[in-house]
Amino acid sequence: MIACPRCEGHGQIREFQILSTGRHVFVCSECDATWFGIDDIGKQPWGDFFTMLSEQGIPSTYDQWRLLPEIPFEPLDPAVLTAAIVDLEGTMIDGSGEVRAGVREGLSAMRGRGWPLTCVSEQSREVALHLLVNLGFAAAFDHVLGAESIDRDRGYKMLFGKACAAMGSTPFLTLVLGDSLDDWSEARTAGCQVVLVGNPAPEVAARVDGVIARLDELFPE
């Protein structure tokens, strides 16, 4: 399912059919934000489901629409993605603070495709930005988000949602590059595509969308 960008992931986008018109709409289960096309979610202004019904003279009773099966969420080819969110700890640097192999080349390849990039960190934005400057990576990122943007009750999905909003990107056309199952779970809940970087355990690799050993393997020659 796709997390709602309007209420920052509190609700999930579901597809409905209005029975009297046959029209399909995409509605948040929490805030009733509504879009008329799946590609409009997060890009076009949202409307209110019940206001839309009223404007069309359709009674707001449950017999006027039907819930369709969940929106299919197949991993997309990187070639059709439009933005990326890169986790700092573990993905770009290892436990000793050393830059992982292939990071510089991978960031350069994404920038070369015109993608806006956001770096996210479990540290404060100030600390993360200072580290990026020292490593020579600050210029690669359009935005840096730190611990201040993490909702402790809702986890990293808020952080990923804010990153998409900052870049103006649609979540399901945004790639999250992380290094743990938690990164995968939270990014998927936020509605993003996910690839893990590194060497995750087999039981983790079996559950995620994709695994690459190095960041520069995202776009193989």
Side-chain angles (χ1 to χ4, degrees):
M1 291 189 290
I2 299 172
C4 176
R6 188 254 170 173
C7 64
E8 298 183 313
H10 279 292
Q12 302 291 326
I13 304 297
R14 301 300 305 274
E15 185 177 6
F16 291 82
Q17 183 182 36
I18 308 301
L19 297 179
S20 60
T21 65
R23 188 168 195 179
H24 290 210
V25 293
F26 299 85
V27 184
C28 173
S29 60
E30 179 69 22
C31 70
D32 297 324
T34 301
W35 292 267
F36 292 108
I38 191 170
D39 292 335
D40 295 334
I41 298 170
K43 287 186 175 180
Q44 300 299 323
W46 58 272
D48 176 79
F49 181 62
F50 293 101
T51 299
M52 178 271 296
L53 292 177
S54 176
E55 290 174 345
Q56 296 186 19
I58 301 172
S60 57
T61 55
Y62 289 109
D63 61 351
Q64 298 297 313
W65 62 82
R66 69 185 182 101
L67 175 65
L68 298 174
E70 290 187 8
I71 301 170
F73 200 167
E74 296 297 328
L76 296 177
D77 187 300
V80 303
L81 300 175
T82 60
I85 301 167
V86 187
D87 180 44
L88 177 59
E89 293 82 15
T91 305
M92 291 180 58
I93 58 174
D94 60 24
S96 63
E98 296 296 320
V99 177
R100 290 191 176 277
V103 169
R104 193 175 306 277
E105 295 83 356
L107 293 177
S108 178
M110 287 186 278
R111 295 300 300 189
R113 288 174 176 260
W115 289 8
L117 300 180
T118 294
C119 178
V120 295
S121 171
E122 61 189 20
Q123 304 181 81
S124 71
R125 181 183 183 277
E126 181 180 3
V127 170
L129 187 55
H130 179 73
L131 182 57
L132 289 171
V133 169
N134 286 344
L135 295 175
F137 292 132
F141 293 98
D142 301 279
H143 306 280
V144 178
L145 299 181
E148 302 92 333
S149 298
I150 301 173
D151 186 308
R152 295 302 178 183
D153 294 325
R154 293 166 59 198
Y156 267 76
K157 65 182 178 182
M158 274 286 287
L159 188 63
F160 295 135
K162 289 181 178 180
C164 289
M167 295 186 293
S169 62
T170 302
F172 58 87
L173 292 178
T174 301
L175 178 65
V176 171
L177 293 152
D179 69 300
S180 71
L181 189 59
D182 285 342
D183 290 337
W184 174 83
S185 176
E186 297 289 1
R188 171 60 87 220
T189 302
C192 300
Q193 306 293 324
V194 196
V195 168
L196 295 189
V197 182
N199 186 29
E203 61 270 20
V204 172
R207 295 178 58 185
V208 303
D209 303 317
V211 176
I212 53 179
R214 299 160 42 122
L215 203 60
D216 59 354
E217 292 180 0
L218 183 60
F219 302 112
E221 295 296 334

